[in-house]
Amino acid sequence: MFMFNKLHRTAEELIRHSGGRVTVGRIRILSVLLAEQQAITHREIEQRLPQTLQLDRVTLYRALEWLADKNLIHKVTSDDRAWRYHANRELHTHQHAHFKCTRCAQMICLDDLPIERSWPLPAGYRFQEIELTVKGLCADCS
Amino acid sequence: MFMFNKLHRTAEELIRHSGGRVTVGRIRILSVLLAEQQAITHREIEQRLPQTLQLDRVTLYRALEWLADKNLIHKVTSDDRAWRYHANRELHTHQHAHFKCTRCAQMICLDDLPIERSWPLPAGYRFQEIELTVKGLCADCS
DNA sequence: CAATCATTGCAACATTGTTGCGTTTATTTA
DNA sequence: TAAATAAACGCAACAATGTTGCAATGATTG
């Protein structure tokens, strides 16, 4: 992966800037997510980490939680009971939709789908955020 | 629950009409869902079943799967890794949105939110369906 | 370099859902 | 109505994903 060094430096920068401790694990995890177009699962992140840096499952979960707290990544709900994670680019720090392929389970962000900020809700209900997943077949599967 | 007999009969009717075997379990489960405004979890269904009819966990899952196959109920994805189920009224046999309270986890159907049938997707992608969850605080929690 | 406290790794646990298989039962058929 | 049949059921065991408590490690600061 020829982009690796650049991503690695970007990741380190972002983490340092967020005021937490800069650890190898966090850097590598964020690098993986920055290199990825799709939103990927915990397991997929594990598989993409170098052999030389196999983190404990719990550590990975906690690092992901921390990165999400710091708004460097975001979590996406799916129908298969597994969170998927994706690095926050400036483009989609705001609310955006996701697409999930019903055959291969690939999940991408649909950045150009602006979602309205509020919805008509029953009286007394208060809007916070929206989660929108479009399902169908991706280019490879259709 | 004074409506019980009526619901029970409705449920039995619907099941018989769907061409499967009419079992006590299916009738009671569907009755519970027909009586409920919200979309509820497997566990909540269990709790609402009469003491005299405690079904095995597996049986409940399989009955719910069957009911969903027959389009008598529908499954809703949530961010807490648990399916929620709701009886299909004529109003929302089509695609509709759901609201989930971020405090008490209550989940209701937003019937009056019509969702467009298709979305602009990348080239080669094929639309199938959409899942939309609005999150916020319900009337009781806000 | 030592002190400090955030981060990590391990073990154990929790929740939700699934599979295989022998038994029961709703329905059909004689 | 009784026997035959296949669909449902219940049990046990398993699988996947995620969480908690706690002792050990290591990044940062002075």
Side-chain angles (χ1 to χ4, degrees), chain A:
Chain A
M1 215 185 289
F2 72 99
M3 293 275 293
F4 178 73
N5 277 326
K6 189 179 170 197
L7 291 181
H8 194 278
R9 266 182 286 125
T10 307
E12 182 169 348
E13 189 72 11
L14 288 167
I15 290 166
R16 192 176 310 279
H17 205 260
S18 294
R21 293 202 176 166
V22 181
T23 68
V24 203
R26 284 177 180 172
I27 295 172
R28 299 310 279 262
I29 293 168
L30 185 51
S31 297
V32 166
L33 292 178
L34 284 169
E36 192 70 38
Q37 294 299 323
Q38 309 173 23
I40 57 177
T41 63
H42 174 270
R43 180 169 294 265
E44 288 166 329
I45 294 170
E46 239 172 8
Q47 289 164 353
R48 284 163 176 71
L49 287 174
Q51 301 289 342
T52 51
L53 184 77
Q54 285 302 323
L55 298 171
D56 186 73
R57 212 154 49 98
V58 178
T59 303
L60 183 39
Y61 277 118
R62 291 202 263 231
L64 289 168
E65 197 186 343
W66 185 87
L67 290 167
D69 270 358
K70 298 301 180 191
N71 261 307
L72 298 178
I73 65 175
H74 63 280
K75 279 167 96 169
V76 189
T77 303
S78 175
D79 53 8
D80 57 7
R81 315 172 2 96
W83 293 106
R84 281 175 173 71
Y85 303 86
H86 193 260
N88 281 339
R89 327 242 164 205
E90 292 199 37
L91 274 173
H92 52 253
T93 42
H94 305 306
Q95 301 228 338
H96 61 283
H98 296 94
F99 173 92
K100 185 176 183 201
C101 179
T102 52
R103 187 160 160 273
C104 70
Q106 169 197 113
M107 205 155 187
I108 61 171
C109 297
L110 298 175
D111 294 315
D112 50 350
L113 275 194
I115 302 176
E116 285 128 65
R117 289 300 157 81
S118 81
W119 289 75
L121 293 177
Y125 281 64
R126 201 145 59 188
F127 174 89
Q128 284 174 344
E129 59 168 334
I130 205 173
E131 272 196 42
L132 193 159
T133 302
V134 181
K135 297 195 203 170
L137 295 173
C138 72
D140 289 340
C141 291
S142 68

Side-chain angles (χ1 to χ4, degrees), chain B residues 20-21 23 26 56 58-59 62 66 81:
Chain B
R21 292 204 177 167
T23 68
R26 284 178 180 173
D56 186 75
V58 178
T59 303
R62 291 201 263 231
W66 186 87
R81 313 172 3 96

Side-chain angles (χ1 to χ4, degrees), chain B residues 19-125:
Chain B
R21 292 204 177 167
V22 182
T23 68
V24 202
R26 284 178 180 173
I27 295 171
R28 299 310 280 264
I29 293 168
L30 186 50
S31 298
V32 166
L33 292 178
L34 283 168
E36 192 70 39
Q37 293 298 323
Q38 309 173 24
I40 57 178
T41 63
H42 174 270
R43 179 170 293 264
E44 288 165 328
I45 294 169
E46 240 171 9
Q47 289 164 352
R48 284 162 176 72
L49 287 174
Q51 301 288 343
T52 51
L53 183 77
Q54 286 300 324
L55 299 170
D56 186 75
R57 213 154 49 97
V58 178
T59 303
L60 183 39
Y61 278 118
R62 291 201 263 231
L64 289 168
E65 197 186 344
W66 186 87
L67 290 167
D69 271 357
K70 299 300 179 190
N71 262 306
L72 298 177
I73 65 175
H74 64 278
K75 279 167 97 169
V76 189
T77 303
S78 174
D79 52 8
D80 57 7
R81 313 172 3 96
W83 293 106
R84 281 176 174 72
Y85 302 87
H86 194 260
N88 281 339
R89 328 240 164 208
E90 292 201 35
L91 274 173
H92 51 254
T93 42
H94 305 306
Q95 302 227 337
H96 61 283
H98 296 94
F99 174 91
K100 185 177 183 200
C101 178
T102 53
R103 188 161 159 272
C104 71
Q106 169 197 113
M107 204 156 189
I108 62 171
C109 296
L110 298 175
D111 293 316
D112 49 349
L113 273 195
I115 301 177
E116 285 131 65
R117 290 300 157 82
S118 81
W119 290 74
L121 294 177
Y125 281 63

